[in-house]
Amino acid sequence: MIRLYIKTAFRSLQKNKGFTAINVLGLALGLATCLLIVFYVVDELSYDKYNVNANRIYRVNENLKLGDNKVQYAVCMAPLAQTLKADFPDVENTVRLKNIGGMHVTKGTESILENRALFADPSVFEVFTLPVIYGDKKTALTEPNTVVISEDMAKKYFGRLNVVGENLIIDGNLKNPIKVTAVIKNIPEQSHFHADFLVSMASNPDSRSAEWLRSDYSTYVLVRKDADYKRLEAQFPQFLRKYSGRQMQQELNMSYDTFEKNGSFFRLNMIPLTDIHLHSNLTGELGVNGSVQYVYIFSAIAIFILLIACVNFMNLSTARSANRAKEVGVRKVLGSARKHLVFQFIAESMIVTLIAVMIALVLSILVLPQFNNLADKNILVNAHTLIWLLPSALIAVLLIGFLAGLYPAFFLSAFNPIQVLKGKIATGFKGGSLRSFLVVFQFSISIFLIIGTLVINNQLQYIQNRDLGYNRNQVLIIQHAFELGDHAKTFKQEIKQLPGVSNATLSGYLPTTSNRGTGIFYKEAIADPKKSLFPQVWSIDEDYIGTLAMKIKSGRNFSAQMPSDSNAIVINETAAKFLGFSDPVNKVVYRSSGGPNPTYKPYTIIGMVKDFNFSSLHDNISPVVLQLNNDNSNLSIKINTANMPVLLSQIEDKWKGFTPTHFQYTFMDQDFDAMYRSEQRTGTICIVFTVLAIVIACLGLFGLAAYAAEQRTKEIGIRKVLGASVANISAMLSKDFIKLVCIAILIASPIGWYLMQKWLQDFAYRVNIQWLEIGVAGIAALSVAMITISFQAIKAAVINPVKSLRSE
């Protein structure tokens, strides 16, 4: 019997090649798109799960509120890790990681900058799953001046894997080379941190600090199998009171209780390792994390597109009711039971779905490299992927084939044979209320996606064009200028003399970098949290504000001719508001030296710069203090030349005259764009998927219009004989569809406005949704629908009425 169903189904599908092609194409496109999004979502959800003990590893975060200043850190104090292990039986092990921030590794005569380098405790191998290829993981990081490298770095610097015992020259330090003690497999891409070099924590003198009020270390805890991390977390307040209270008394001259009574707090919390990538975006992260919001967005798009494709199938199947009504009537008269007819139509649905799934699998694998480029991923279809992919494809065939074919099967099999054979079955587009609802549903989704895409792209344009408070264009950045040592200032002065260079500045911090220092300033020479400022403190030189074209609102810039500026600071507008100064110029603030008997050094505010964005536009601008200091981390060069290659060559020649290290540079505008790369990728992906959704919806509309025209062939012929024009007939065939698209616009517009308004709330600086965007989305959907329908309507209208009536 099943064989008969399949055979009959194939005959029916071959008989209606146009219907089959539209259904298969629409469903295949929908499934392929859905599958690509599934690849993306699975990849995002798999971060850090390569660790054997992933479900028992947690990172400790720090929350600090000092007066009105709040900050959240992904890093903690140096002594925290060992103290947690010693004080809590639930803690099986701990490990600290610290971002080195880049180091130069010598290869022959070349010095190469490597940014993926971390300090790590020896316990890193006991907490994380980092397979060792060569070396002993138990002793690899116990001694100073030792390093564990990845297999890629072993091949890069030595041309082989077994390099245990070899030496690496780091930052040109020939006297103290670092010994390679182990080689590990490359850390998987699905990790919230990446390192090609793990330098022993013993190589970092600060790691032995007993400081409980300074945070620099990413601290991870491996809890025992039966432990409840929430129960452990609940003990942290008393734990902090015990260890940081004494130091707080010394440095802030107040007890822990007084600190909290003043409205301030100092807290620790734990986040599961597998949640970090999608749920954490704190100060001091080891890498750029993703966002669970985008996982939700893309998952919703996948569901929407799949629904549109399934709706197409249902619509086209029920629209063909007139063509198959007589077939059903004859079958019933000949004794066919309704259940057999249901099985017959579901078999057709299953076959269409099976073909569509097979095409979708091939299509998704073929376009996966392009999708990887678009989404900045490295997703591969391998044996591990096939383990879940093939069963999922089979389930999709059964589930989609059954659900999409269920209504058409029951709808067609319910025809009364007598009414059918008398020709009294409602046909065409009229009489299909569910079909009309489904068309509205399809286009509501499409219009919503158009609105979402327009809003996302408008927000991205706003980010690109917003006045940030500084000029990032034409600014060349040479990172790690500290390689120049004492020659940094001389190099800067020589660069400023080059034609095409407007200005240059040496600084520790830039608006487009993420790792910055902080400090505490007080309005009086006493540690009072209520009269405190907890800003970022940037070390700059006298050319910094001019090079970046920052705007001085009041006061003046630093001057190299004024020695007193070493005890002066420039603050931003937000810092002035926090301090309660309407005009902060010439006001004095104090900074504590710390320790048991702290002294308070006075700093005179000599200027106030206009607020400038130095972090994501997701966040409000926070207080910043600019301080004159000799920090040679970065050299920023303001350039003004039409011949960039020549200028870059001149700068590189100057660089090589001072140091043999590799010359590396970036442009500030590119670094800025990198801060919003995830939003830019989201915008591009949304455009692609929205276009696909509209194409799939229009495929269905195209098929429906074709069947509506086919079922009204006789009517069209008679109208033409009676004098109806092509325009009249086209309007007659189009108006019902256009009406439904208009209803979809009315439904989708307020929903799209509300949901995108919620999305924009995540940005501190954002656009307002204009009704023009809603109108553009509606007009776009209406235009596409009219073009789709008009093609079939005009085709039907220009047919010779003699042929139409003769065929009837």
Side-chain angles (χ1 to χ4, degrees):
M1 194 59 130
I2 294 175
R3 182 181 175 186
L4 179 62
Y5 290 146
I6 295 173
K7 187 176 181 180
T8 308
F10 267 113
R11 283 179 180 172
S12 177
L13 294 173
Q14 287 177 337
K15 182 181 176 182
N16 300 277
K17 291 184 177 66
F19 155 80
T20 304
I22 291 174
N23 251 342
V24 169
L25 181 60
L27 201 52
L29 280 175
L31 287 168
T33 305
C34 186
L35 188 55
L36 288 173
I37 296 175
V38 168
F39 285 151
Y40 174 89
V41 171
V42 168
D43 184 80
E44 287 289 287
L45 296 177
S46 66
Y47 268 69
D48 294 304
K49 291 183 179 178
Y50 67 90
N51 291 285
V52 173
N53 296 316
N55 62 335
R56 295 197 288 130
I57 302 173
Y58 301 85
R59 189 185 68 194
V60 184
N61 298 330
E62 180 183 308
N63 293 340
L64 176 64
K65 181 177 183 290
L66 188 64
D68 293 328
N69 307 272
K70 291 182 182 179
V71 65
Q72 292 180 300
Y73 291 110
V75 290
C76 293
M77 307 76 74
L80 176 67
Q82 285 302 314
T83 312
L84 285 173
K85 185 177 180 181
D87 283 21
F88 295 104
D90 283 345
V91 176
E92 182 177 313
N93 215 331
T94 58
V95 64
R96 296 172 302 171
L97 300 175
K98 187 177 189 299
N99 196 345
I100 294 176
M103 60 187 190
H104 283 90
V105 183
T106 301
K107 182 182 181 183
T109 59
E110 187 179 15
S111 181
I112 302 172
L113 177 63
E114 299 287 359
N115 289 310
R116 291 166 55 150
L118 303 172
F119 286 117
D121 283 324
S123 55
V124 67
F125 297 106
E126 298 171 26
V127 176
F128 297 109
T129 303
L130 303 174
V132 175
I133 302 173
Y134 292 102
D136 184 358
K137 66 181 181 181
K138 292 181 180 179
T139 60
L141 293 174
T142 55
E143 300 294 328
N145 296 324
T146 55
V147 64
V148 173
I149 64 176
S150 68
E151 54 184 317
D152 278 354
M153 293 301 103
K155 293 174 184 176
K156 179 177 179 179
Y157 287 97
F158 300 100
R160 63 186 194 279
L161 285 179
N162 189 359
V163 295
V164 174
E166 297 284 353
N167 290 328
L168 283 172
I169 305 300
I170 305 296
D171 294 333
N173 191 346
L174 297 173
K175 294 181 179 179
N176 294 300
I178 291 185
K179 183 180 179 181
V180 178
T181 52
V183 178
I184 61 172
K185 288 187 176 181
N186 296 327
I187 295 176
E189 287 293 323
Q190 292 78 20
S191 174
H192 80 282
F193 73 89
H194 296 91
D196 287 320
F197 299 85
L198 293 175
V199 182
S200 63
M201 192 65 75
S203 306
N204 174 27
D206 291 342
S207 66
R208 295 180 286 278
S209 168
E211 175 71 60
W212 278 88
L213 296 180
R214 178 182 173 184
S215 302
D216 290 304
Y217 297 87
S218 300
T219 304
Y220 300 85
V221 173
L222 175 66
V223 302
R224 300 193 185 279
K225 291 182 179 179
D226 57 346
D228 179 1
Y229 86 95
K230 285 293 184 183
R231 184 180 62 195
L232 176 63
E233 194 178 60
Q235 302 175 67
F236 283 171
Q238 193 61 36
F239 170 82
L240 268 181
R241 185 185 300 271
K242 176 182 176 182
Y243 288 101
S244 64
R246 183 181 302 173
Q247 194 168 341
M248 193 173 289
Q249 182 70 51
Q250 293 174 345
E251 297 206 8
L252 300 181
N253 196 27
M254 68 177 66
S255 67
Y256 198 92
D257 290 335
T258 305
F259 180 76
E260 289 192 330
K261 285 179 182 178
N262 286 332
S264 301
F265 58 73
F266 183 33
R267 298 170 184 164
L268 299 177
N269 61 73
M270 298 169 72
I271 180 172
L273 178 69
T274 52
D275 286 354
I276 292 174
H277 176 65
L278 291 177
H279 298 274
S280 181
N281 187 25
L282 309 181
T283 300
E285 296 282 354
L286 288 177
V288 178
N289 290 331
S291 171
V292 72
Q293 186 182 64
Y294 296 132
V295 172
Y296 293 147
I297 289 173
F298 291 142
S299 297
I301 289 174
I303 293 170
F304 287 158
I305 289 177
L306 191 58
L307 285 174
I308 289 174
C310 290
V311 164
N312 271 357
F313 182 88
M314 295 171 66
N315 264 346
L316 290 174
S317 296
T318 53
R320 291 176 64 240
S321 58
N323 292 30
R324 306 201 63 180
K326 289 184 180 180
E327 175 192 340
V328 172
V330 171
R331 282 172 176 264
K332 282 195 169 187
V333 168
L334 295 176
S336 182
R338 186 182 181 187
K339 66 178 182 179
H340 293 151
L341 292 171
V342 169
F343 288 145
Q344 175 65 55
F345 293 124
I346 289 179
E348 291 181 18
S349 174
M350 292 285 189
I351 290 171
V352 169
T353 307
L354 176 62
I355 297 170
V357 166
M358 292 170 66
I359 294 173
L361 285 172
V362 174
L363 190 60
S364 60
I365 292 171
L366 288 176
V367 301
L368 187 57
Q370 287 72 31
F371 180 76
N372 279 333
N373 290 334
L374 188 65
D376 194 26
K377 288 287 184 183
N378 188 28
I379 302 169
L380 299 173
V381 177
N382 48 35
H384 178 73
T385 310
L386 294 176
I387 290 174
W388 62 264
L389 181 58
L390 295 180
S392 299
L394 180 60
I395 292 171
V397 170
L398 296 175
L399 193 62
I400 297 172
F402 179 75
L403 293 177
L406 194 61
Y407 174 74
F410 278 96
F411 176 80
L412 294 172
S413 64
F415 287 165
N416 185 314
I418 297 174
Q419 297 296 321
V420 167
L421 296 176
K422 286 183 176 180
K424 295 183 179 180
I425 293 295
T427 63
F429 201 76
K430 295 177 180 178
S433 56
L434 177 62
R435 193 157 59 251
S436 299
F437 166 78
L438 293 176
V439 170
V440 171
F441 176 75
Q442 275 186 315
F443 272 88
S444 295
I445 292 174
S446 300
I447 294 162
F448 167 71
L449 290 176
I450 295 172
I451 293 170
T453 300
L454 289 173
V455 172
I456 289 172
N457 279 279
N458 282 347
Q459 176 65 16
L460 290 176
Q461 288 296 317
Y462 174 75
I463 289 171
Q464 294 293 324
N465 300 319
R466 172 181 161 81
D467 180 8
L468 300 173
Y470 66 94
N471 189 349
R472 65 183 185 273
N473 298 316
Q474 297 292 299
V475 178
L476 177 76
I477 299 172
I478 301 176
Q479 298 176 339
H480 301 283
F482 59 79
E483 294 287 350
L484 298 167
D486 296 335
H487 302 295
K489 287 187 176 180
T490 305
F491 177 73
K492 168 191 160 183
Q493 293 303 323
E494 291 192 15
I495 293 299
K496 288 177 71 173
Q497 303 306 314
L498 291 175
V501 174
S502 303
N503 210 338
T505 177
L506 286 164
S507 64
Y509 304 101
L510 294 168
T512 51
T513 57
S514 58
N515 294 321
R516 306 183 183 99
T518 57
I520 303 176
F521 291 81
Y522 300 97
K523 293 177 69 174
E524 299 173 1
I526 185 171
D528 183 357
K530 290 185 177 180
K531 297 180 180 180
S532 67
L533 179 70
F534 189 48
Q536 293 193 17
V537 182
W538 295 16
S539 298
I540 66 170
D541 67 10
E542 66 278 4
D543 292 318
Y544 187 87
I545 291 174
T547 301
L548 297 187
M550 291 180 173
K551 299 177 179 65
I552 295 180
K553 298 282 289 185
S554 62
R556 64 175 177 84
N557 189 10
F558 294 109
S559 172
Q561 280 70 48
M562 300 188 70
S564 61
D565 278 3
S566 60
N567 294 322
I569 57 174
V570 174
I571 64 175
N572 68 347
E573 292 174 295
T574 300
K577 291 174 185 175
F578 268 81
L579 290 167
F581 297 148
S582 56
D583 184 5
V585 177
N586 295 324
K587 297 289 195 304
V588 178
V589 293
Y590 301 85
R591 190 173 187 180
S592 171
S593 63
N597 298 300
T599 58
Y600 294 88
K601 183 178 180 179
Y603 287 88
T604 302
I605 302 172
I606 61 169
M608 178 178 68
V609 295
K610 180 183 177 182
D611 275 341
F612 58 95
N613 286 96
F614 52 86
S615 61
S616 169
L617 292 185
H618 288 278
D619 307 319
N620 287 304
I621 295 173
S622 58
V624 175
V625 168
L626 304 176
Q627 187 174 4
L628 199 62
N629 213 333
N630 292 322
D631 192 325
N632 301 333
S633 297
N634 303 285
L635 176 65
S636 303
I637 306 168
K638 183 68 175 180
I639 54 182
N640 182 21
T641 179
N643 197 341
M644 185 68 70
V646 170
L647 180 58
L648 287 173
S649 178
Q650 291 174 339
I651 295 173
E652 184 174 4
D653 289 341
K654 293 281 186 183
W655 175 271
K656 290 179 178 178
F658 285 93
T659 175
T661 58
H662 188 59
F663 176 70
Q664 289 183 293
Y665 65 90
T666 61
F667 287 95
M668 186 174 283
D669 55 351
Q670 294 174 350
D671 294 341
F672 175 83
D673 291 342
M675 294 170 63
Y676 299 95
R677 198 160 286 155
S678 61
E679 278 86 4
Q680 291 167 348
R681 287 196 302 266
T682 302
T684 306
I685 292 171
C686 282
I687 290 172
V688 172
F689 289 155
T690 298
V691 170
L692 284 172
I694 294 169
V695 168
I696 295 167
C698 286
L699 276 174
L701 200 60
F702 183 85
L704 286 177
Y707 278 105
E710 181 184 337
Q711 291 161 7
R712 300 176 74 173
T713 302
K714 185 176 181 180
E715 177 188 349
I716 292 169
I718 293 171
R719 286 179 179 273
K720 288 198 72 174
V721 169
L722 295 175
S725 66
V726 172
N728 295 143
I729 294 171
S730 297
M732 177 194 73
L733 292 172
S734 302
K735 66 178 181 180
D736 289 326
F737 294 104
I738 300 303
K739 190 187 302 179
L740 296 179
V741 175
C742 290
I743 293 171
I745 293 171
L746 294 175
I747 293 171
S749 297
I751 295 173
W753 180 89
Y754 174 76
L755 292 178
M756 294 314 298
Q757 196 70 34
K758 296 285 285 184
W759 178 77
L760 286 171
Q761 295 303 314
D762 192 45
F763 291 87
Y765 305 94
R766 54 186 177 266
V767 296
N768 293 316
I769 300 177
Q770 305 294 328
W771 282 107
L772 178 63
E773 295 166 2
I774 308 293
V776 168
I779 292 170
L782 196 60
S783 300
V784 172
M786 287 182 68
I787 292 169
T788 304
I789 298 162
S790 297
F791 178 82
Q792 288 291 359
I794 294 171
K795 181 181 175 182
V798 297
I799 293 175
N800 190 327
V802 175
K803 291 183 179 179
S804 303
L805 296 174
R806 185 172 59 196
S807 66
E808 290 293 320

